[in-house]
Amino acid sequence: MRGHRLRLPAIRAARLVAAAVVAIAVTGTMTAAPALASDAAPYRAQVFTRGYDTAKVVSLTFDLDWRTGTPAENAISKANLETVLRVFAANGITGAFGVTGRFAEQNPAETKAIAALGHKIINHSYSHPDFMTLTQAQRWSQLDRAEAAFRAAGVSSAGWFRSPYRSGYLNAGLNRDLALRGFYVNLDWTFDTTGYQAAGWPVVSSRIDRYTVPGAIIVMHVTTPSTDPGNLQLIIDKLKGMGYGFVSPWQAVTRGLIRAKYLAAGGSASAFGAATTAELDATTADTAVQWFQRGRIYYSPASGTHFVWGAILAKYRSMGTVTSLLRFPVTDETAGAAGGWYNHFQGGSIYCLAATGSHEVHGAIRAKWLALGAEAGFLGYPRTDETKLTGGRGSQFQHGNVYWAKGAGAHEVHGTILAKYLSLGGMSSRLGAPTSDEFSVTVGRRSNFGHGAIVWNATARTISVIYY
């Protein structure tokens, strides 16, 4: 314990040196990760020392941890938090708070209030140790205990982390351990105001002049003796005077067309929630995907920018997303008939209805089904994926099936004729694959097959099979 305490002043001093390295881009230099399948979970957490923005905007963040102190110390720290939240609200600024688990345990109402006001919660560990002194298991325990405290307070970090003391924030092993626990965003910072050292305004002002750059992430502190809460309005006014605006941390980790799609959907207030990864290559360098709490947004030059989420995303993921036969989405999720939903993709579609679940349709079977009115037609929604059958392929729908065979094409079979066809063995029967849709004849209805036909007599209410 003595050794640990002796390290802390050195670590804090190192922060001041590291803070001057504002030329670091979005990611730090790390050794190459092993090649992974496209649209796979990141191998390491992405380190953001700055947001993606190249315009004159900054993100304001605070770190928040205090142990039970004297009543007077706790009262000052809580008043500081109230000040920060009030100043943010007065200026229309959404910030981020690196919160420790022990703070959330001791102050669940305050933790929940931060998130309720729209600010981003970051996992700042449970008890604020130096992560470079911990084993993998100890790191995971710190992350898990903090998340448990967040859940009890009704909030989540959504897989965002900030390293206590900034220790090891660029360390490849640490960022690998984070990713293995589902933490893919390591929100670092460009510079610290040093308010936590009780720095006066001249010092803070000088640091803003020296280190502010487009996309900067500025870290401040709440707990006494920090001067940041009292200086916050001055800090905001100074940045505005320098021509800077403010971008929320939710937005700082998005960019380009994916950011535009995210914001158009409502940003962090939308069904997507927070980004849980940086922007990733989806298949190749000219494609992109970004994961969010409840969805993903994809981009490719050929398909544009579209989102997939919910049950349709679950199905898409089970198939391999962009590496599957479906490839990239070409529509957003869209309302279908009878309360269902669908996404179209380059190689097919996924349709979802509560009664049938989510299923893919593609190729000639999809073309036939679409020609018959898709989910709004008499066949209704798919209730299976396309399946390999004897001599061809088939998909089942709510009110009938569509079959495909080489040379015969795709055809629907439904109702009484379908029931008889299935009782005989379907495509594996002597009849073989259908060669026509069901059509009207003098006595009723008929479907032709490769080696015969099934006729339904409407007057006699009988079904007959013809072989040839």
Side-chain angles (χ1 to χ4, degrees):
M1 186 67 171
R2 168 177 278 181
H4 179 65
R5 290 189 178 187
L6 287 173
R7 284 177 55 85
L8 298 191
I11 293 169
R12 290 188 176 114
R15 295 174 67 172
L16 306 184
V17 175
V21 190
V22 296
I24 297 175
V26 173
T27 58
T29 301
M30 296 184 183
T31 55
L36 295 176
S38 297
D39 198 17
Y43 184 78
R44 295 190 181 99
Q46 183 84 41
V47 180
F48 285 86
T49 58
R50 287 163 63 177
Y52 280 125
D53 288 282
T54 57
K56 292 184 70 173
V57 294
V58 299
S59 297
L60 302 183
T61 72
F62 277 85
D63 282 351
L64 185 54
D65 170 58
W66 72 72
R67 305 173 192 176
T68 303
T70 67
E73 289 172 336
N74 285 343
I76 292 172
S77 294
K78 288 190 177 184
N80 282 351
L81 178 57
E82 291 171 0
T83 296
V84 171
L85 295 176
R86 183 175 64 253
V87 173
F88 272 170
N91 288 273
I93 293 173
T94 300
F97 289 79
V99 180
T100 63
R102 66 186 175 194
F103 174 86
E105 276 186 351
Q106 296 163 12
N107 305 278
E110 287 81 358
T111 304
K112 188 171 184 177
I114 292 168
L117 290 169
H119 303 298
K120 184 73 188 72
I121 298 291
I122 306 170
N123 189 317
H124 198 34
S125 79
Y126 177 79
S127 58
H128 209 267
D130 176 358
F131 264 48
M132 293 306 292
T133 70
L134 305 182
T135 66
Q136 182 187 75
Q138 290 170 331
R139 290 169 177 173
W140 288 354
S141 176
Q142 284 283 323
L143 297 169
D144 292 349
R145 291 182 68 191
E147 287 300 320
F150 293 164
R151 285 194 298 273
V155 303
S156 169
S157 74
W160 290 38
F161 173 77
R162 174 172 280 172
S163 185
Y165 312 112
R166 208 188 195 189
S167 179
Y169 73 102
L170 286 179
N171 180 268
L174 171 58
N175 284 290
R176 175 60 176 155
D177 283 348
L178 293 174
L180 288 170
R181 212 58 171 177
F183 288 80
Y184 303 128
V185 175
N186 185 343
L187 196 79
D188 184 51
W189 36 267
T190 312
F191 71 94
D192 189 331
T193 63
T194 68
Y196 76 95
Q197 294 181 322
W201 174 244
V203 172
V204 174
S205 179
S206 174
R207 293 184 67 77
I208 293 172
D209 285 331
R210 292 169 61 193
Y211 300 130
T212 303
V213 291
I217 299 170
I218 302 172
V219 67
M220 295 169 279
H221 294 77
V222 172
T223 310
T224 184
S226 177
T227 58
D228 291 324
N231 284 333
L232 183 55
Q233 188 62 59
L234 291 173
I235 292 168
I236 292 169
D237 290 343
K238 180 176 179 65
L239 288 164
K240 287 180 178 178
M242 296 167 61
Y244 277 84
F246 302 91
V247 63
S248 75
W250 308 87
Q251 293 174 236
V253 300
T254 62
R255 63 181 173 185
L257 294 173
I258 287 181
R259 174 191 277 190
K261 175 65 75 171
Y262 177 53
L263 295 181
S268 60
S270 71
F272 288 104
T276 57
T277 69
E279 185 177 293
L280 311 170
D281 289 343
T283 51
T284 57
D286 62 341
T287 66
V289 61
Q290 190 157 18
W291 296 10
F292 296 83
Q293 284 176 283
R294 291 174 291 277
R296 297 181 187 179
I297 299 178
Y298 292 86
Y299 164 79
S300 81
S303 62
T305 310
H306 299 287
F307 64 79
V308 188
W309 70 295
I312 290 180
L313 175 59
K315 181 64 180 178
Y316 188 43
R317 289 179 60 189
S318 75
M319 295 178 66
T321 68
V322 293
T323 63
S324 72
L325 63 89
L326 293 176
R327 303 193 303 282
F328 282 85
V330 296
T331 68
D332 298 331
E333 182 170 303
T334 305
W341 301 88
Y342 65 85
N343 269 84
H344 291 323
F345 299 83
Q346 289 173 310
S349 302
I350 297 177
Y351 280 78
C352 178
L353 185 69
T356 58
S358 296
H359 299 287
E360 65 81 19
V361 194
H362 71 277
I365 288 178
R366 175 177 177 268
K368 167 58 72 172
W369 180 61
L370 292 176
L372 294 171
E375 86 285 1
F378 69 87
L379 289 176
Y381 281 82
R383 57 189 186 90
T384 68
D385 297 341
E386 182 175 306
T387 305
K388 183 178 180 180
L389 302 172
T390 302
R393 313 280 296 179
S395 286
Q396 297 179 23
F397 298 86
Q398 287 177 295
H399 308 298
N401 296 348
V402 177
Y403 297 92
W404 173 88
K406 187 176 181 180
H411 299 284
E412 64 79 20
V413 189
H414 71 280
T416 304
I417 290 178
L418 174 61
K420 184 63 177 179
Y421 183 52
L422 293 175
S423 73
L424 296 171
M427 285 186 70
S428 62
S429 71
R430 179 179 167 186
L431 286 172
T435 58
S436 75
D437 297 343
E438 184 178 303
F439 59 96
S440 295
V441 293
T442 302
V443 297
R445 305 287 292 174
R446 173 173 173 148
S447 286
N448 292 333
F449 298 86
H451 304 289
I454 299 177
V455 179
W456 177 69
N457 188 308
T459 302
R461 314 295 292 181
T462 58
I463 193 90
S464 58
V465 180
I466 302 168
Y467 291 107
Y468 48 79

PDB file of all heavy atoms in Angstrom, residues 89 151 205 294 302 315 328 360 401:
ATOM      1  N   ALA A  89     -26.334  23.315 -18.203  1.00  0.00           N
ATOM      2  CA  ALA A  89     -27.709  23.533 -18.651  1.00  0.00           C
ATOM      3  C   ALA A  89     -27.906  24.960 -19.151  1.00  0.00           C
ATOM      4  O   ALA A  89     -28.557  25.186 -20.184  1.00  0.00           O
ATOM      5  CB  ALA A  89     -28.681  23.231 -17.519  1.00  0.00           C
ATOM      6  N   ARG A 151     -25.775   0.142 -12.849  1.00  0.00           N
ATOM      7  CA  ARG A 151     -27.092  -0.480 -13.073  1.00  0.00           C
ATOM      8  C   ARG A 151     -28.018  -0.231 -11.891  1.00  0.00           C
ATOM      9  O   ARG A 151     -29.209   0.035 -12.071  1.00  0.00           O
ATOM     10  CB  ARG A 151     -26.934  -1.982 -13.316  1.00  0.00           C
ATOM     11  CG  ARG A 151     -26.400  -2.339 -14.685  1.00  0.00           C
ATOM     12  CD  ARG A 151     -26.576  -3.811 -14.985  1.00  0.00           C
ATOM     13  NE  ARG A 151     -25.855  -4.657 -14.053  1.00  0.00           N
ATOM     14  CZ  ARG A 151     -24.589  -5.023 -14.203  1.00  0.00           C
ATOM     15  NH1 ARG A 151     -23.891  -4.612 -15.255  1.00  0.00           N
ATOM     16  NH2 ARG A 151     -23.992  -5.799 -13.312  1.00  0.00           N
ATOM     17  N   SER A 205      -6.497  29.434 -17.755  1.00  0.00           N
ATOM     18  CA  SER A 205      -6.621  30.213 -18.991  1.00  0.00           C
ATOM     19  C   SER A 205      -5.433  29.986 -19.908  1.00  0.00           C
ATOM     20  O   SER A 205      -5.587  29.827 -21.125  1.00  0.00           O
ATOM     21  CB  SER A 205      -6.758  31.698 -18.655  1.00  0.00           C
ATOM     22  OG  SER A 205      -6.857  32.472 -19.824  1.00  0.00           O
ATOM     23  N   ARG A 294     -28.118  -0.178 -29.361  1.00  0.00           N
ATOM     24  CA  ARG A 294     -29.241  -0.981 -29.835  1.00  0.00           C
ATOM     25  C   ARG A 294     -29.337  -1.015 -31.357  1.00  0.00           C
ATOM     26  O   ARG A 294     -30.426  -1.188 -31.912  1.00  0.00           O
ATOM     27  CB  ARG A 294     -30.545  -0.444 -29.223  1.00  0.00           C
ATOM     28  CG  ARG A 294     -30.640  -0.694 -27.715  1.00  0.00           C
ATOM     29  CD  ARG A 294     -31.854  -0.026 -27.098  1.00  0.00           C
ATOM     30  NE  ARG A 294     -31.738   1.420 -27.087  1.00  0.00           N
ATOM     31  CZ  ARG A 294     -31.070   2.104 -26.152  1.00  0.00           C
ATOM     32  NH1 ARG A 294     -30.444   1.472 -25.173  1.00  0.00           N
ATOM     33  NH2 ARG A 294     -31.021   3.426 -26.194  1.00  0.00           N
ATOM     34  N   ALA A 302     -21.755   1.891 -52.646  1.00  0.00           N
ATOM     35  CA  ALA A 302     -22.821   1.354 -53.494  1.00  0.00           C
ATOM     36  C   ALA A 302     -24.185   1.356 -52.831  1.00  0.00           C
ATOM     37  O   ALA A 302     -25.215   1.424 -53.510  1.00  0.00           O
ATOM     38  CB  ALA A 302     -22.471  -0.063 -53.935  1.00  0.00           C
ATOM     39  N   LYS A 315     -31.063 -11.045 -36.464  1.00  0.00           N
ATOM     40  CA  LYS A 315     -31.050 -12.015 -37.558  1.00  0.00           C
ATOM     41  C   LYS A 315     -29.865 -11.771 -38.484  1.00  0.00           C
ATOM     42  O   LYS A 315     -29.166 -12.708 -38.889  1.00  0.00           O
ATOM     43  CB  LYS A 315     -32.361 -11.910 -38.354  1.00  0.00           C
ATOM     44  CG  LYS A 315     -32.455 -12.891 -39.513  1.00  0.00           C
ATOM     45  CD  LYS A 315     -32.456 -14.317 -38.979  1.00  0.00           C
ATOM     46  CE  LYS A 315     -32.546 -15.321 -40.090  1.00  0.00           C
ATOM     47  NZ  LYS A 315     -32.505 -16.704 -39.571  1.00  0.00           N
ATOM     48  N   PHE A 328     -24.641  -5.382 -47.714  1.00  0.00           N
ATOM     49  CA  PHE A 328     -24.964  -4.135 -47.022  1.00  0.00           C
ATOM     50  C   PHE A 328     -26.446  -3.793 -47.118  1.00  0.00           C
ATOM     51  O   PHE A 328     -27.095  -4.092 -48.129  1.00  0.00           O
ATOM     52  CB  PHE A 328     -24.152  -2.977 -47.617  1.00  0.00           C
ATOM     53  CG  PHE A 328     -22.725  -2.935 -47.155  1.00  0.00           C
ATOM     54  CD1 PHE A 328     -21.759  -3.696 -47.787  1.00  0.00           C
ATOM     55  CD2 PHE A 328     -22.356  -2.137 -46.078  1.00  0.00           C
ATOM     56  CE1 PHE A 328     -20.440  -3.663 -47.363  1.00  0.00           C
ATOM     57  CE2 PHE A 328     -21.043  -2.088 -45.654  1.00  0.00           C
ATOM     58  CZ  PHE A 328     -20.078  -2.858 -46.288  1.00  0.00           C
ATOM     59  N   GLU A 360     -35.000 -14.194 -43.468  1.00  0.00           N
ATOM     60  CA  GLU A 360     -34.464 -13.630 -44.710  1.00  0.00           C
ATOM     61  C   GLU A 360     -35.179 -14.223 -45.913  1.00  0.00           C
ATOM     62  O   GLU A 360     -35.665 -15.358 -45.883  1.00  0.00           O
ATOM     63  CB  GLU A 360     -32.960 -13.879 -44.808  1.00  0.00           C
ATOM     64  CG  GLU A 360     -32.526 -15.350 -44.915  1.00  0.00           C
ATOM     65  CD  GLU A 360     -32.631 -15.931 -46.315  1.00  0.00           C
ATOM     66  OE1 GLU A 360     -32.700 -15.141 -47.284  1.00  0.00           O
ATOM     67  OE2 GLU A 360     -32.648 -17.158 -46.451  1.00  0.00           O
ATOM     68  N   ASN A 401     -46.227 -21.427 -49.504  1.00  0.00           N
ATOM     69  CA  ASN A 401     -44.793 -21.591 -49.726  1.00  0.00           C
ATOM     70  C   ASN A 401     -44.415 -21.127 -51.122  1.00  0.00           C
ATOM     71  O   ASN A 401     -45.248 -21.122 -52.037  1.00  0.00           O
ATOM     72  CB  ASN A 401     -44.376 -23.056 -49.575  1.00  0.00           C
ATOM     73  CG  ASN A 401     -44.588 -23.589 -48.169  1.00  0.00           C
ATOM     74  OD1 ASN A 401     -44.832 -22.830 -47.233  1.00  0.00           O
ATOM     75  ND2 ASN A 401     -44.507 -24.912 -48.023  1.00  0.00           N
TER      76      ASN A 401
END
